[in-house]
Amino acid sequence: MSGVEDTDAIRQANEKSAKRKEARDRMMATKTLSKGLLIVHTGKGKGKSSAAFGMVMRCVGHGMKSAVVQFVKGKWETGERTVLERFPELVTIKAMGEGFTWDTQDRARDIRAAEAAWAEAKRQMADPEIKMLLLDELNICLRYDHLPVAEVVETLKRKRPDLHVVVTGRNAPDALIEAADLVTEMTMIKHPFRDGVKAQAGIEF
């Protein structure tokens, strides 16, 4: 390619880049709202809770107070908990779960645990200092009817305008997806568990 052709290619590339920037600037100029979001992480793929905990850590970085209510998982030793517990002035973590339903084999106990966790979630929602609330694995409780879906969704829809709420877990109900501002579905393509690889520190916990 000659020097002239090189110059023309560079000029055309720069023009395309300038047009893309101009279009993006126009789009960004229309995005002026700021509000507390209802966010849902669902799907069969890995990373729903991990992504949500990453958002909590992002809030810590901004000096924003957050709270975590874990609906299914008990007080497991996880890397996220270890990190976040170093910031007690910014993060409250309540592990209210009794374990997965296939572990407990006790529906009445699971319902009591879910109700206690939901009561704690509503208490955190009412705290004006909390800017983000993570309801980890709430979708599991909704799927198994441990909590009434209509009441939970209506309560989340009536949350404080400045509060972000993140809900995780497979099989998010349609009503919650409809009410949410942001929904991400994690899709599993491959998982080492299928090849006999157990959960590992730094990956699963």
Side-chain angles (χ1 to χ4, degrees):
M1 183 179 291
S2 69
V4 173
E5 291 174 330
D6 284 343
T7 301
D8 287 342
I10 292 172
R11 177 181 55 77
Q12 290 173 6
N14 288 341
E15 288 175 353
K16 288 181 179 179
S17 180
K19 289 179 180 178
R20 286 195 298 268
K21 183 179 185 307
E22 182 181 344
R24 180 167 178 80
D25 288 344
R26 285 198 304 268
M27 178 190 71
M28 294 302 292
T30 66
K31 313 303 180 185
T32 58
L33 300 178
S34 180
K35 57 173 283 191
L37 301 177
L38 176 54
I39 301 167
V40 176
H41 293 175
T42 192
K44 295 181 179 180
K46 173 179 161 41
K48 297 177 288 292
S49 294
S50 299
F53 272 104
M55 298 177 78
V56 173
M57 292 178 189
R58 182 175 289 162
C59 286
V60 169
H62 286 287
M64 299 163 59
K65 288 192 174 183
S66 302
V68 178
V69 179
Q70 294 186 287
F71 278 77
V72 175
K73 299 165 187 170
K75 191 172 172 57
W76 296 354
E77 295 300 323
T78 65
E80 297 98 330
R81 180 190 296 279
T82 300
V83 170
L84 293 175
E85 285 181 343
R86 297 177 184 176
F87 303 91
E89 73 284 1
L90 289 176
V91 184
T92 300
I93 302 177
K94 299 287 186 179
M96 312 282 293
E98 296 282 357
F100 291 99
T101 54
W102 52 86
D103 290 328
T104 64
Q105 298 293 306
D106 188 336
R107 178 172 173 78
R109 179 181 172 186
D110 291 337
I111 290 174
R112 288 195 300 271
E115 289 174 343
W118 180 235
E120 176 63 26
K122 289 188 286 187
R123 189 180 75 81
Q124 295 290 351
M125 289 175 68
D127 183 346
E129 293 191 349
I130 299 297
K131 301 305 178 185
M132 175 173 283
L133 175 61
L134 167 54
L135 305 179
D136 191 37
E137 303 289 3
L138 170 58
N139 286 336
I140 302 298
C141 297
L142 299 178
R143 178 188 182 187
Y144 290 108
D145 296 319
H146 295 163
L147 293 168
V149 172
E151 176 194 328
V152 169
V153 171
E154 187 58 32
T155 300
L156 293 176
K157 288 168 66 175
R158 290 188 284 104
K159 67 179 180 60
R160 297 192 337 261
D162 63 335
L163 175 66
H164 300 299
V165 177
V166 188
V167 179
T168 71
R170 293 186 179 197
N171 302 110
D174 291 340
L176 178 59
I177 291 175
E178 178 65 26
D181 299 288
L182 172 61
V183 180
T184 300
E185 181 175 8
M186 274 59 166
T187 302
M188 183 176 69
I189 306 299
K190 294 179 69 176
H191 198 297
F193 183 78
R194 291 180 169 180
D195 296 323
V197 180
K198 67 179 182 179
Q200 301 178 87
I203 304 299
E204 275 81 20
F205 60 90

